Amino acid sequence: MVNVAMDGPVGAGKSSVARECARRLGFIYVDTGALYRSCALFCVRKGIEINEKNESAIADVLEKELSLTIDLIDGQQHVYVNGEDVSYEIRTMEISKAASAISALPAVRKYLLETQRSIAASNNVIMDGRDIGTVILPNADLKIFITAKPEIRAKRRYDELVARGSNVTLGEVLVEVNRRDYNDTHRKEAPLKQAEDAILIDTSEIDFEETVSGITELIQSRCDPEA
Ligand code: DC
């Protein structure tokens, strides 16, 4: 199986790039952020405060009460919490914050580790996240770290939120992007960082098509699905 790890900060364009590369190659695209978001949504709905103090209670409730599954419909990943498609609900600012908090808890990362590895073991995948190249798939065939300047990432995220009808300002989104960058890179457990053997791609100055075709070619030249 070919495993491609694609890590990077919020708004770098990872998911749309990874999804399109996977479509062109006939690979499965896995958005691991959606798994953290779904765990966060589940806890928020249950009224459980997400903090270190509640870590074991959170892990307990996830193990005992949450069934998390993903499915691919028309190339789009859908994620299900106990059978309910929550793909839309997990994209709010509230759940973004809660996902950032829950992803800092080692017990939650442990809970999601096997889910991610087992998907990669049986499929040609492009898996997007924060620690795919460093922790989840350290032996990935190819590791890519995608980034862009914070202002550019905030503008992309802002456009996405506005298109969904959200009433936010660009300034608020930039504050949120910086806050999440800080949390993701400073947490003790599996912080966001470029794997030593990852290829760095900065999308600040290159457009979507250029990024996608460059990465698709890289995957084709480095990885053999028949191997
Ligand atoms: O990629 P995203 O914005 O949907 O991710 C939501 C949160 O989950 C984000 O704060 C970082 C965290 N995350 C993580 O810690 N590890 C991953 N593999 C994917 C996401």
Side-chain angles (χ1 to χ4, degrees):
M1 291 297 148
V2 173
N3 288 177
V4 177
M6 202 175 286
D7 293 301
V10 56
K14 278 182 314 253
S15 15
S16 31
V17 167
R19 186 184 302 115
E20 180 55 18
C21 292
R23 194 191 65 74
R24 291 184 189 184
L25 293 160
F27 285 18
I28 304 271
Y29 159 63
V30 185
D31 165 12
T32 61
L35 305 177
Y36 288 93
R37 287 171 179 270
S38 299
C39 291
L41 178 74
F42 185 71
C43 290
V44 167
R45 282 182 175 175
K46 284 191 85 72
I48 304 170
E49 234 183 281
I50 300 172
N51 54 36
E52 273 177 34
K53 206 164 46 80
N54 285 342
E55 180 172 356
S56 58
I58 290 171
D60 202 47
V61 96
L62 293 179
E63 299 233 351
K64 292 196 177 123
E65 297 181 26
L66 174 64
S67 156
L68 196 56
T69 48
I70 62 169
D71 196 6
L72 214 64
I73 304 174
D74 293 333
Q76 294 279 351
Q77 176 178 300
H78 288 247
V79 59
Y80 301 84
V81 161
N82 295 334
E84 177 196 350
D85 186 347
V86 294
S87 312
Y88 193 78
E89 284 79 357
I90 58 172
R91 298 290 156 196
T92 62
M93 289 267 270
E94 182 199 6
I95 298 304
S96 295
K97 266 188 211 164
S100 184
I102 212 165
S103 69
L105 304 177
V108 173
R109 303 202 73 83
K110 186 160 169 259
Y111 168 78
L112 289 176
L113 181 92
E114 272 320 309
T115 309
Q116 296 168 85
R117 283 192 181 158
S118 68
I119 298 170
S122 46
N123 296 284
N124 292 327
V125 293
I126 301 184
M127 192 168 271
D128 115 38
R130 303 294 191 283
D131 62 339
I132 309 303
T134 50
V135 177
I136 306 294
L137 304 175
N139 298 319
D141 301 274
L142 181 65
K143 299 178 186 178
I144 295 169
F145 193 87
I146 296 201
T147 189
K149 294 190 185 94
E151 295 73 21
I152 289 178
R153 293 190 280 117
K155 176 68 168 66
R156 289 177 185 159
R157 194 34 70 104
Y158 168 78
D159 290 343
E160 236 174 68
L161 288 166
V162 169
R164 282 169 200 275
S166 182
N167 189 19
V168 284
T169 65
L170 181 56
E172 282 166 351
V173 179
L174 181 58
V175 168
E176 184 57 19
V177 161
N178 284 329
R179 201 186 62 77
R180 286 177 58 199
D181 279 357
Y182 185 87
N183 285 352
D184 292 348
T185 52
H186 285 78
R187 65 171 177 237
K188 270 191 245 126
E189 188 79 6
L192 168 68
K193 70 167 192 271
Q194 185 183 341
E196 276 178 18
D197 48 352
I199 295 172
L200 175 68
I201 297 182
D202 187 324
T203 65
S204 302
E205 311 288 340
I206 49 174
D207 70 14
F208 181 72
E209 178 51 38
E210 217 177 318
T211 310
V212 169
S213 51
I215 293 177
T216 305
E217 278 165 29
L218 198 58
I219 297 172
Q220 281 167 327
S221 67
R222 298 280 190 97
C223 314
D224 178 5
E226 309 303 326

